Amino acid sequence: MGAAEDRLLSLQQFAAQDARREPQAPAGWQPGVVWDGTAGTITTGPVTETPNEWGDLLAARGLDPERYEIVGDTIRWCSWDGWARAKEGDQATSALLYSFKADLRLKRHAHPDLEHLFNEVRRIKPAKPIPATGDCALIVCLSDWQVGNADAGGVRTQLEAIAALPHRITQRVKALRKAGVPIGHLVLAGMGDLVEGCHSFYPGQEHSVQLDRREQTRVVRRGILDVMRACAPLAERITLTAVGGNHGEHRVNGKRVTGPNDNDDVAVFEQVAEILLENPDAFGHIEIRLPTDRLAVTLEAGTKVIAFTHGHLAKPKGDPASTLWEWWRGQAFGQEYAAGTAEYLFSGHYHHTNVRSQQGRTLMIAPSLTAVGDWWANGTGMRADPGTLTVVIGPDGWSNLEVLR
């Protein structure tokens, strides 16, 4: 090929390219995702048909459809005249184009069938209480259920553990009496954090919580009622008490916004107490001891003075036992609250079993019901064995400590 031909062919570089008019969405409808950490919006690109499967649109924007969902009644749309091609390379023709916009949220976890797991224990009928058989008390610490938390199997694991409690407690009382332990008093203590709460307690809680506040308190209320139905015939003297935990507080932006008496951990026991009072023939022998404006309760059991507190108010002093011991020392020195006079202090909050005795006083920390605490475990590498702490208190001190699992 000669120079003339080469020169002629090189003129092709000036060949005109067809201009393409790409469809433009109206202002405010540019395709993309806006997300603020808990909620957001998604806007589609120009389409000619209504989306049938939003999951594909979420995935195309890098959002896992298993974690995110469209809020169904928030879908908006707009339309405009534009250009479209049946497939890439085809000639563009005029068409009516659409863009769809919808609100996004974290997908709610599927709720287990709450009724199914509780049905068996609800069939228990109240019976005549067994007469007192001695001066020992069995303390049962119902601590840190955190119902609604997604850790360690989530709500289903929590429900299974709660549903098993009535049988485990009654069997524990029977086994102790069979072994010759004179149990005359049964103390059932709510140690706080029975509910999980929904926000403001630790990073990412809004994403992981599986039940809303009403559902959480419903599960706890029904669980406590099932325990009381089973335990009511076990002794002529039964005490039901509770203290507030940090997860029971009403918080905004991590700060408590109401007084210490406004706590779901105590409110749910108050509801249970009112229900029990409706049937005095079956539950009239049960003593109810609930705080009004304080976060500790003190009572007599097994001839000893016993105090209960959740433990979240104690300022860190190294390990949990030292922290609570210093708080207890302050109560005794200040002489303001009765907890300072107690011989035994029971606490929750730290999710593990711990016992410390010194100078005639004993501190016992109760574990959480299930292995909740992923946030804590990620930070410390530690996760304790869960369960329900039980211990006998009598004239000679404490004995027969067992964690029910």
Side-chain angles (χ1 to χ4, degrees), residues 131-154:
T133 57
D135 51 9
C136 288
L138 177 65
I139 314 298
V140 180
C141 295
L142 308 173
S143 184
D144 295 87
W145 292 4
Q146 291 188 218
V147 169
N149 186 290
D151 298 346

Side-chain angles (χ1 to χ4, degrees), residues 37 42 51 84 99 158 172 180 182 193 198 213 241 243 257 288 317 327 334 341-342 355 370 399-400:
I42 182 172
S99 181
Q158 295 153 19
R172 181 61 179 153
D193 281 6
C198 295
R213 180 183 170 195
T241 189
V243 293
V257 295
I288 309 296
K317 297 289 184 181
W327 177 87
T341 68
V355 179
T370 62
S399 64
N400 293 282

Side-chain angles (χ1 to χ4, degrees), residues 116-161:
H116 175 72
L117 292 173
F118 281 120
N119 279 340
E120 292 299 320
V121 291
R122 288 209 181 97
R123 296 193 181 98
I124 300 173
K125 296 180 179 180
K128 185 177 180 180
I130 298 173
T133 57
D135 51 9
C136 288
L138 177 65
I139 314 298
V140 180
C141 295
L142 308 173
S143 184
D144 295 87
W145 292 4
Q146 291 188 218
V147 169
N149 186 290
D151 298 346
V155 173
R156 181 164 297 279
T157 299
Q158 295 153 19
L159 290 176
E160 290 171 351

Side-chain angles (χ1 to χ4, degrees), residues 23-34 41-47 54 61 74-80 97-103:
Q24 297 294 321
W29 288 80
Q30 287 76 20
V33 172
V34 177
T41 59
I42 182 172
T43 306
T44 72
V47 294
W54 283 89
R61 293 289 172 181
T74 67
I75 299 174
R76 291 91 72 193
W77 61 274
C78 70
S79 64
W80 68 97
L97 301 180
Y98 298 88
S99 181
F100 293 86
K101 181 183 293 187
D103 290 349

